[in-house]
Amino acid sequence: MASKKITLGLIVGNRGFFPGHLAESGRKEMVRVLEQTGIEVVALDAEKSGHGAIETYEEAQRCAEVFRAHRERIDGVIVTLPNFGDERAIADTLRLSRLRVPVLVQATPDTPAKMSIAFRRDSFCGKMSACNNLRQYGIPYSLTTSHTVTPDSAEFKKDLEWFAGVCRVMRGLRDLRIGSIGARPTAFNTVRYSEKILESQGISVETLDLSEVIGRIQRMKDSDDAAQAKLKSIEKYVSTNDVPKEALLKMAKLGAVIDQWMKQTHVTISAIQCWTSIEENLGVVPCTVMSMMSDDLMSSACEVDICGVLSMHTLRLASQTPSALLDWNNNYGDNPDKAVCFHCSNLPKHFLKSVKMDYQAIIAGTVGKENTFGTCVGLVKSGPMTFARFSTDDRAGHVRGYVGSGNFTDDPLETFGGAGVVEIPKMQTLLRYICENGFEHHVAANFSSVAGVVHEAAVRYLGWDMHWHEN
């Protein structure tokens, strides 16, 4: 699934006491930088305001009207201050636009050799006034790493990359629909959640009973076009040597039915029951089907872990790469900062050094090996990773979570399923936090460094209670 381009609204601040040519040149510079970064820009036409900036209430009205006309496209807003800027006009523009998207405030630094009345910016000071007014207006906003930064600098480009991630998260969570396929396994109280709390955040859950899935599979002919297409996709995706053809066709039908239902119901991501109804009633595990969806950026979690797949999806939005759901599963020797993360497994192929299809070793002891083909087996590759977990807190009535970063390592590991060794500085502190606050044993992971993006989106714009495990 290709991610669409980020589109940002642009507000250029100006105040008449300061050189107007700085606002004019600052606007051109910011537009050029944004476009060079691949960002589409929506702004009031330069000739419809003084110096192409926003200073008066009338100009704020005009700019807000442009923003409203493009509200379906705009993912965030950049406020650039080439000089002090009029803080009221900036806040008025955002209020009148009714966009409710992330806002990044940038101020261009003065040059010590150019502090005369003809070149003095004072944006250092103006940024404080702009932020003060945004706070008064109740408009949340983000800040650049440094208080002042030039638009064409490497530092600002990193700020833009970070802010684009925040915008993607907010766009991707807006009116999100999650597919809940099957009932939560009885033994997994840990993945219980509040549908109503999620709904209050604009996140809806669409349910589908597993009996309906199996019924549709049973009515589907072996020659069905969708089933045959999915079968080819499975065989192309993963090595299926020694897997019975009958099991592969069952997986293909399962995948086809889920695909059709998600399309019909406008569901973006999914959480699926596994233990042990599918194995007993269909004779396969859904792992490969789920792995393929996650690898295609349509995150899918097992054990009907709705908050788990929400965590996966948020990391995926921030990084634009596949996420996995793992267990915090084992210690790794006596190293306090290392642990084994494991699932049995539906990990996306993106996560694994190499992958083959096999049977599910844990469930096989209960339902028989012949009913458990479909797992994706392999070791997790090494690299930087971000982890995250969201949960609904029924007693407090809100969403909470934690986020942080570490590394998957190349440490040797002899096990089955999909597993890897993760190293996280001060991991014992993290584990204590997880246990003391009653978080689930599942955690979402992503090969990226986007903890700051996820934290900013969740805290600044969603108002969620988040812990950032900083190294």
Side-chain angles (χ1 to χ4, degrees):
M1 293 177 64
S3 297
K4 83 174 185 72
K5 273 189 172 184
I6 289 291
T7 300
L8 298 180
L10 177 62
I11 298 174
V12 182
N14 180 51
R15 180 167 283 186
F17 299 111
F18 297 89
H21 69 88
L22 294 177
E24 188 173 341
S25 60
R27 173 196 170 101
K28 292 177 180 177
E29 182 180 28
M30 183 59 75
V31 170
R32 176 175 54 80
V33 167
L34 293 175
E35 291 179 343
Q36 285 177 348
T37 313
I39 293 171
E40 295 182 355
V41 181
V42 174
L44 181 67
D45 290 344
E47 64 274 12
K48 292 186 178 180
S49 67
H51 307 288
I54 309 301
E55 184 175 7
T56 67
Y57 187 73
E58 289 74 19
E59 289 169 341
Q61 287 179 307
R62 288 182 217 134
C63 186
E65 185 179 354
V66 172
F67 285 177
R68 288 196 302 272
H70 295 274
R71 63 179 302 125
E72 296 303 318
R73 292 177 53 210
I74 295 175
D75 301 301
V77 173
I78 294 280
V79 174
T80 182
L81 299 173
N83 65 30
F84 189 98
D86 189 280
E87 66 264 28
R88 295 172 303 168
I90 291 166
D92 285 336
T93 302
L94 289 167
R95 172 182 279 176
L96 294 169
S97 71
R98 299 190 292 275
L99 285 178
R100 303 188 187 281
V101 296
V103 176
L104 180 64
V105 183
Q106 173 273 337
T108 303
D110 275 301
T111 302
K114 292 185 176 181
M115 293 284 284
S116 68
I117 194 67
F119 290 96
R120 181 166 165 155
R121 297 180 184 273
D122 279 23
S123 53
F124 186 103
C125 181
K127 182 173 180 178
M128 298 176 194
S129 293
C131 292
N132 175 278
N133 275 258
L134 292 177
R135 180 68 180 266
Q136 288 187 46
Y137 280 51
I139 298 170
Y141 54 90
S142 298
L143 301 172
T144 53
T145 303
S146 296
H147 184 66
T148 56
V149 61
T150 55
D152 63 352
S153 66
E155 180 182 323
F156 183 65
K157 287 177 183 176
K158 287 183 180 180
D159 288 334
L160 268 183
E161 182 180 354
W162 169 82
F163 184 65
V166 174
C167 292
R168 285 194 301 271
V169 169
M170 294 307 298
R171 181 184 68 209
L173 295 185
R174 190 183 305 130
D175 301 322
L176 176 66
R177 289 168 63 79
I178 305 176
S180 178
I181 303 173
R184 172 186 57 79
T186 300
F188 285 87
N189 272 1
T190 187
V191 300
R192 290 195 288 189
Y193 72 101
S194 169
E195 232 182 285
K196 292 182 179 179
I197 290 176
L198 291 184
E199 194 70 67
S200 73
Q201 302 296 304
I203 299 170
S204 300
V205 177
E206 186 79 6
T207 60
L208 177 66
D209 194 85
L210 213 54
S211 63
E212 296 183 55
V213 175
I214 293 172
R216 295 178 194 185
I217 290 171
Q218 291 173 342
R219 292 190 295 273
M220 183 177 283
K221 295 180 180 179
D222 292 352
S223 59
D224 184 272
D225 289 345
Q228 287 299 313
K230 181 61 73 172
L231 179 61
K232 290 178 182 177
S233 297
I234 290 172
E235 292 173 333
K236 183 179 179 181
Y237 180 76
V238 62
S239 172
T240 59
N241 297 336
D242 303 321
V243 177
K245 294 294 183 184
E246 181 184 4
L248 290 174
L249 185 56
K250 289 179 182 178
M251 289 177 226
K253 289 183 177 181
L254 173 64
V257 166
I258 291 174
D259 287 348
Q260 291 168 356
W261 177 76
M262 290 179 70
K263 185 175 181 180
Q264 290 166 357
T265 55
H266 306 282
V267 160
T268 305
I269 56 178
S270 61
I272 302 174
Q273 179 185 355
C274 179
W275 300 64
T276 55
S277 180
I278 286 183
E279 294 80 10
E280 293 177 357
N281 295 292
L282 186 59
V284 292
V285 295
C287 301
T288 294
V289 170
M290 299 168 71
S291 172
M292 292 171 68
M293 287 193 286
S294 292
D295 213 59
D296 280 341
L297 306 184
M298 296 183 294
S299 301
S300 187
C302 56
E303 296 156 11
V304 202
D305 188 352
I306 295 295
C307 289
V309 77
L310 175 61
S311 309
M312 293 171 67
H313 185 56
T314 303
L315 289 174
R316 181 290 248 196
L317 292 167
S319 70
Q320 303 184 91
T321 62
S323 296
L325 192 69
L326 293 156
D327 285 359
W328 293 117
N329 212 76
N330 313 88
N331 61 289
Y332 189 75
D334 58 1
N335 190 320
D337 288 338
K338 289 185 179 181
V340 176
C341 285
F342 168 88
H343 243 152
C344 36
S345 92
N346 59 11
L347 303 189
K349 188 165 64 172
H350 174 79
F351 262 67
L352 303 173
K353 296 177 184 177
S354 61
V355 60
K356 69 172 184 177
M357 188 185 292
D358 210 336
Y359 70 97
Q360 217 279 24
I362 299 176
I363 305 179
T366 303
V367 301
K369 174 181 175 179
E370 68 279 5
N371 293 314
T372 62
F373 283 101
T375 59
C376 291
V377 174
L379 291 176
V380 176
K381 64 188 180 183
S382 62
M385 59 88 78
T386 302
F387 59 86
R389 177 72 209 189
F390 298 132
S391 181
T392 56
D393 187 334
D394 289 45
R395 294 186 178 185
H398 62 218
V399 179
R400 62 181 184 142
Y402 64 86
V403 67
S405 59
N407 289 279
F408 281 111
T409 73
D410 277 324
D411 288 308
L413 191 63
E414 292 292 332
T415 188
F416 55 92
V421 177
V422 65
E423 183 172 22
I424 299 169
K426 303 177 183 177
M427 190 171 193
Q428 295 302 308
T429 302
L430 171 65
L431 295 173
R432 177 173 290 275
Y433 178 84
I434 291 170
C435 290
E436 286 183 343
N437 290 277
F439 278 101
E440 298 81 351
H441 66 293
H442 286 169
V443 65
N446 189 279
F447 277 97
S448 62
S449 299
V450 293
V453 170
V454 173
H455 187 269
E456 181 78 1
V459 173
R460 185 81 58 199
Y461 297 103
L462 292 168
W464 295 354
D465 181 10
M466 290 293 295
H467 169 71
W468 188 354
H469 180 72
E470 295 189 80
N471 301 337

